[in-house]
Structure formats: structure tokens, C-alpha cells
């Protein structure tokens, strides 16, 4: 597998057996009383549905999002969510190995799956008169995947090879060590693909039990965007997904990262061609209002980033490029702020130009990155620059939803980490960010005691030409496919 209009909110009551039941009342407004761009529905077994009808072309994108990812894992089973995702293509009781891909291709569609820190998702985008095929596939593998022991053994080799491929990427190696140092308690420090020792040790029963625990209607959201009728779809889902029993043993994530008490530093030495530095700061979860000034701070530093499938980098006129790349201190530099369900990290990074003095080059890049942080903390933000960063951020949000597939991704992604209502609130909240707010979040979160710094220094061992040179800006995004 490869690596996110009117709303109708069906009020939910709790039935005597503990399951959610449909109240039947409907609203065309979101949380704050304004019209929204999508419609919600909930089923008695806890399954959630988000839909948006778009009849401009005969295409529909059907997604199922499970609220399980790396945050739900622990040492011993790290990487299990990603491995389960792979096994979902290896056959069910009625669909043989490879048949899912074959059927979707024969019907003119595309499909994929992704695992992140917070969620796992599967989708098919098809001609709208083939929507029933997506329902059949996803309804079947929610409960009927086989996890054949032979396929488990085969996929273990595939995933370990995938991990070993990542280990040839300096950016991946550095990011893995920095994240592990930044997180002492929370599972975000383990990464999505998992530690190799766990990949070697996990069993078929580990995988199957994980699947049976988390792949349940009350842990899933179906998102559908495109050319279809919502009421008709609800009826079809009721007779398929709606017939499944909810899980009664969904575990809570209990690990809460304590406040960091001082700067942490890590050093990675490995064959490679490019020295790199990465700096990360703990920042709040997607439910926190400070995500909007933090998004703007990211845009000021290295341009606004796409949230979904669309958009493109917009960083050559931003601060880090001007301060570090244009001055030839670094070959690349950037920042990265990703929305997560739990408190995550704001990242800065840079890659050194070719030199024999790796340590000297990294000291200069680190000093340059921290100087740009200091400027934000000092309030050195002119209104024109802020306005440009906000325009970029709002544009990226729009670009990230420029097709039925990308809109469905946005709805599901936001619902999985907080709420899809962010889709309709974000543009206004970004537009309202002020220089004072950016200064405040820089002072609050970008302190020395809240940061972890990592250096990657190429060693003289091995064939450096066979080793990847990292990302273009020294920071990494986290989704595995």
C-alpha cells in the first residue's frame, strides 16, 4: 500500500443497552449556529457518517477512518497499526488476496490506505454508479479480514524492508531519534512504522487482536464526497455497516507527556552526505485555539503548508529561506507544524552545504534557526508580512480541498484529530490572527526548556552515495502508507 451544502446533525441519545441511538432531530447548523459545508449522521452502533454532495462530475470518494494509530500502541507492538493496514489488502472471507485492487481498477477507480499517529484510513474514488463497490469492500474488511499466517510472515519481510529503506534517509534517522528524546511517556515518540525489534517479534495473534479491538463501527467514521444521494446512502449503510456490533473494549490512551524540564540534545552519526539539524518544541493538540497562530508562525518561517492532497510549498520568500538558504549558510531550511489529536511538536530544521567541518556548519544553522525564533518572540512582525502569511495559510487550506478525494480527506482527518467543524472555521480563525498572538505563542512554546535539538553528522563509514540525502528542508511529516 502506498504512503484531509448544509450540515444535518442527528442528535444522539443513549439507549438502555448502552449503544448510541438516533434521535432523528436535524439541524442545518454547526456548533456555533452557522451553516456548514457537510452533513452528519450517526448510527445506533456508534458509526459516524460525514457527507458532502458534489454533483459537478459523476465521481464519488468513499473513505473509512478508524481512530487508531501509533498513539494507541506501546513498546512491544509499535508499528502494529501500520502492519494491520497492510493486512487489510491480503484477503477476507469473500475477497481474495489482490481482488480488492483488481475490482477497483476494473471499475475505473483508485484506492489507497494510510496510517498516521492518530488514525488509519482506507478509500476508493470511483465513478458514482460504482459506489456500491466501495461499500462492499469496506464493509467486508471492517470485520472479515483473514490475517492468514503465511501472509503475516510475508508482510513482516515487506515492512521490515520498508523500515530499513527509511533508515537510509538521514532525515528519517534524525527525526526518529529527536522524537524519541522529546517524548518520554506518550507513544508519539515511537513513530508510525515501529521499532524493528517489535516488527521482528509481533505475532499473527497480536495483529488480529489489534484489528478486532479497533476495527469496529463505534471507532470509525465514514466520509463520502461526490455525486450521490445522502439519504439513499444512509439506507445502504444502515443495512451493511449498521448491522455490525460495536466494540465493548476500546482502550483509552492514558499516556500524558509531562512538562519538559530542560533542553534535550541528541547526536546521530551514520553514513551519508549531508549534515542536518532539527529543533522541536512541544505544542498543543488540534483542539487548542493556539493552533491558528502557530500555523501562521510556521508560514512566517517557511511558508504555509498543504494540509491534504493539494497545495504546494510556498517558502522561498519566507524567513528561514532568506536567513539561511539565500545567505548560503544552509542548502535547505524549513519548519513544520502538524495537527494531532494530542499535544505534538513544532519542528525547525536545516541541511548543511557540503563541507568537511560538519560541526561548525551545524552550529551556524542552529544559531540561525534560533535567531529567527527569537525575532518572533521579540515581536518583530510587520503587518504586511503577517497578512501575506495568513493569505498563504488560507490559500493552502483551500488548495487542500480542490477535489472530491481531497475534501473527503480533509473532513476525515479533521474529525479524527478533533472535529470536522474546523473545515468551516479555519479560514475565519486564521484571518483573525494578530502579530501579538504570534509573539505570544512563540514566547509560550518556543522556550529553551521546551525544546529538543538533534544533529545528524555523516560518518566516514559506508558508501555515502547509496544513502539518501533527507528532505528538502530537514523536517519530516508523518504518514505511512
Amino acid at each position: 500500500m502506498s504512503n484531509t451544502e448544509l450540515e444535518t446533525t442527528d442528535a444522539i441519545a443513549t439507549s438502555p443497552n448502552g449503544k448510541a441511538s438516533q434521535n432523528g432531530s436535524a439541524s442545518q447548523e454547526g456548533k456555533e449556529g452557522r451553516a456548514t459545508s457537510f452533513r452528519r449522521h450517526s448510527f445506533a452502533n456508534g458509526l459516524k457518517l460525514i457527507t458532502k454532495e458534489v454533483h459537478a462530475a459523476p465521481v464519488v470518494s468513499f473513505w473509512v477512518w478508524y481512530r487508531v494509530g501509533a498513539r494507541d500502541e506501546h513498546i512491544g507492538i509499535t508499528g502494529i497499526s501500520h502492519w494491520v493496514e497492510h493486512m487489510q489488502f491480503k484477503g477476507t472471507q469473500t475477497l481474495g488476496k489482490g481482488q480488492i485492487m483488481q475490482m477497483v481498477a476494473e471499475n475505473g477507480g483508485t484506492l489507497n490506505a494510510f496510517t498516521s499517529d492518530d488514525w488509519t484510513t482506507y478509500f476508493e474514488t470511483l465513478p458514482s454508479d460504482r459506489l456500491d463497490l466501495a461499500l462492499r469492500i469496506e464493509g467486508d474488511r471492517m470485520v472479515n479480514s483473514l490475517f492468514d499466517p503465511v501472509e503475516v510472515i510475508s508482510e513482516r519481510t515487506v515492512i521490515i524492508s520498508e523500515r530499513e529503506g527509511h533508515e537510509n534517509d538521514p532525515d528519517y534517522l534524525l527525526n526518529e531519534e529527536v522524537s524519541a528524546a522529546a517524548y518520554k511517556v506518550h507513544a508519539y515518540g515511537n513513530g508510525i512504522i515501529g521499532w524493528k525489534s517489535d516488527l521482528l517479534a509481533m505475532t499473527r495473534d497480536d495483529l488480529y487482536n489489534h484489528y478486532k479491538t479497533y476495527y469496529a463501527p463505534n471507532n470509525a467514521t465514514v466520509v463520502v464526497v461526490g455525486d450521490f444521494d445522502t439519504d439513499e446512502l444512509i439506507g445502504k449503510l444502515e443495512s451493511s455497516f449498521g448491522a455490525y456490533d460495536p466494540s465493548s473494549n476500546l482502550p483509552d490512551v492514558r499516556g500524558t507527556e509531562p512538562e519538559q524540564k530542560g533542553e534535550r540534545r541528541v547526536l546521530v552519526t551514520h553514513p551519508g552526505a549531508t549534515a542536518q539539524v532539527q529543533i522541536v518544541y512541544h505544542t498543543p493538540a488540534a483542539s487548542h485555539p493556539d493552533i491558528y497562530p502557530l500555523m501562521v508562525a510556521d508560514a512566517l518561517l517557511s511558508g504555509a503548508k498543504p494540509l491534504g492532497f493539494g497545495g504546494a510549498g510556498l517558502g522561498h520568500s519566507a524567513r528561514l529561506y532568506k536567513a539561511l538558504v539565500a545567505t548560503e549558510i544552509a542548502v535547505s531550511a524549513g519548519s513544520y507544524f502538524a495537527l494531532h489529536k494530542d499535544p505534538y511538536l513544532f519542528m525547525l530544521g536545516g541541511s548543511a552545504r557540503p563541507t568537511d567541518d560538519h560541526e561548525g556548519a551545524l552550529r551556524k544553522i542552529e544559531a540561525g534557526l534560533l535567531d529567527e525564533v527569537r525575532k518572533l518572540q521579540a515581536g518583530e512582525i510587520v503587518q504586511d508580512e503577517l497578512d501575506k502569511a495568513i493569505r498563504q495559510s488560507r490559500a493552502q487550506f483551500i488548495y487542500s480541498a480542490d477535489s472530491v478525494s481531497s475534501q473527503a480527506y480533509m473532513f476525515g482527518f479533521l474529525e479524527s484529530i478533533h472535529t470536522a467543524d474546523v473545515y468551516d472555521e479555519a479560514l475565519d480563525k486564521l484571518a483573525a490572527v494578530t502579530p501579538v498572538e504570534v509573539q505570544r505563542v512563540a514566547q509560550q512554546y518556543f522556550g529553551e526548556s521546551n525544546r529538543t535539538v538533534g544533529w545528524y553528522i555523516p560518518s566516514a563509514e559506508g558508501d555515502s552515495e547509496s544513502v539518501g540525502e533527507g528532505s528538502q528542508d530537514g523536517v519530516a511529516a508523518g504518514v505511512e502508507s
Side-chain angles (χ1 to χ4, degrees):
M1 294 353 78
S2 56
N3 188 25
T4 108
E5 329 211 1
L6 300 173
E7 177 189 16
T8 301
T9 304
D10 292 328
I12 302 301
T14 302
S15 62
N17 64 6
K19 298 179 182 179
S21 63
Q22 193 174 305
N23 179 296
S25 65
S27 168
Q28 295 181 347
E29 299 176 342
K31 290 181 178 179
E32 299 177 9
R34 61 178 176 271
T36 53
S37 59
F38 56 90
R39 180 176 169 183
R40 290 184 183 272
H41 185 88
S42 296
F43 296 86
N45 61 3
L47 179 71
K48 298 197 292 184
L49 172 66
I50 293 175
T51 61
K52 180 179 179 180
E53 295 183 26
V54 180
H55 300 288
V59 179
V60 63
S61 194
F62 184 95
W63 296 65
V64 180
W65 295 76
Y66 295 96
R67 292 180 288 280
V68 60
R71 73 184 288 271
D72 302 280
E73 301 166 359
H74 56 77
I75 296 297
I77 60 165
T78 62
I80 195 168
S81 300
H82 176 236
W83 194 343
V84 167
E85 175 221 307
H86 278 230
M87 296 306 300
Q88 291 292 84
F89 292 83
K90 302 302 179 181
T92 71
Q93 295 175 11
T94 62
L95 297 172
K97 176 184 175 182
Q99 193 173 352
I100 290 173
M101 291 185 172
Q102 180 183 350
M103 290 191 304
V104 171
E106 288 176 348
N107 283 274
T110 60
L111 79 165
N112 215 326
F114 308 97
T115 303
S116 84
D117 291 307
D118 298 315
W119 44 261
T120 306
T121 187
Y122 306 82
F123 81 90
E124 295 80 30
T125 299
L126 291 154
S128 52
D129 61 355
R130 300 292 190 270
L131 176 57
D132 287 353
L133 175 60
L135 271 72
R136 176 190 173 192
I137 291 170
E138 298 306 339
D140 191 24
R141 62 181 172 184
M142 177 179 278
V143 296
N144 292 323
S145 289
L146 294 177
F147 288 74
D148 183 287
V150 174
E151 294 297 338
V152 170
I153 292 171
S154 174
E155 208 58 30
R156 185 194 311 274
T157 302
V158 171
I159 293 175
I160 289 175
S161 177
E162 184 178 342
R163 180 184 164 84
E164 290 173 345
H166 287 322
E167 291 171 356
N168 286 327
D169 179 357
D171 187 62
Y172 177 89
L173 286 176
L174 180 59
N175 181 254
E176 182 175 65
E177 292 298 326
V178 169
S179 295
Y183 284 103
K184 298 299 185 182
V185 174
H186 198 283
Y188 284 160
N190 295 321
I192 298 165
I193 202 166
W195 298 107
K196 190 173 182 179
S197 58
D198 290 346
L199 299 177
L200 287 166
M202 273 188 284
T203 67
R204 183 267 178 189
D205 287 347
D206 291 330
L207 295 167
Y208 189 72
N209 290 336
H210 192 77
Y211 165 65
K212 297 305 288 185
T213 297
Y214 291 100
Y215 282 61
N218 56 324
N219 197 47
T221 301
V222 173
V223 180
V224 191
V225 177
D227 182 33
F228 66 98
D229 179 85
T230 297
D231 293 329
E232 181 181 347
L233 174 65
I234 289 171
K236 291 180 178 180
L237 287 170
E238 187 71 69
S239 62
S240 55
F241 290 75
Y244 299 147
D245 292 330
S247 175
S248 60
N249 62 337
L250 288 170
D252 293 326
V253 174
R254 297 180 179 177
T256 300
E257 191 66 24
E259 180 182 356
Q260 189 167 320
K261 300 299 185 181
E263 182 188 73
R264 300 168 186 165
R265 300 188 74 90
V266 297
L267 174 65
V268 178
T269 57
H270 191 76
T274 306
Q276 295 190 28
V277 61
Q278 188 176 106
I279 304 170
V280 303
Y281 299 92
H282 291 280
T283 46
S287 58
H288 198 287
D290 282 351
I291 65 168
Y292 297 102
L294 285 165
M295 289 172 71
V296 174
D298 180 31
L300 285 168
L301 289 169
S302 64
K305 318 299 189 302
L307 294 180
F309 289 162
L314 301 170
H316 283 192
S317 63
R319 293 186 174 198
L320 294 182
Y321 186 90
K322 290 179 178 179
L324 293 169
V325 181
T327 58
E328 299 188 350
I329 295 173
V331 69
S332 63
S335 59
Y336 179 68
F337 176 61
L339 302 182
H340 279 63
K341 186 174 182 67
D342 296 330
Y344 196 60
L345 303 171
F346 190 108
M347 304 181 183
L348 304 169
S351 298
R353 302 181 69 82
T355 178
D356 293 330
D357 183 12
H358 297 304
E359 292 188 16
L362 292 182
R363 278 194 292 270
K364 290 179 181 179
I365 296 173
E366 181 179 332
L369 294 171
L370 293 178
D371 189 51
E372 293 306 314
V373 168
R374 180 199 61 76
K375 291 176 183 178
L376 293 181
Q377 293 171 328
E380 297 178 23
I381 307 165
V382 298
Q383 189 64 48
D384 286 349
E385 182 189 24
L386 182 77
D387 290 343
K388 180 179 179 180
I390 290 173
R391 285 196 304 271
Q392 285 187 352
S393 299
R394 297 176 85 239
Q396 289 285 27
F397 201 88
I398 295 168
Y399 296 155
S400 295
D402 64 353
S403 69
V404 294
S405 295
S406 57
Q407 287 182 57
Y409 174 89
M410 287 286 285
F411 289 141
F413 163 66
L414 294 170
E415 184 73 11
S416 297
I417 61 170
H418 178 36
T419 171
D421 293 333
V422 171
Y423 184 88
D424 294 305
E425 300 168 356
L427 294 181
D428 289 344
K429 291 188 176 182
L430 285 168
V433 172
T434 66
V436 172
E437 286 182 290
V438 175
Q439 180 184 16
R440 177 185 59 78
V441 295
Q443 292 174 344
Q444 181 173 345
Y445 299 111
F446 300 165
E448 180 179 356
S449 64
N450 192 41
R451 76 180 177 225
T452 301
V453 181
W455 282 16
Y456 178 99
I457 296 181
S459 68
E461 302 174 2
D463 178 7
S464 64
E465 292 183 359
S466 67
V467 178
E469 296 187 2
S471 70
Q472 64 178 1
D473 52 15
V475 292
V479 173
E480 293 288 346
S481 54

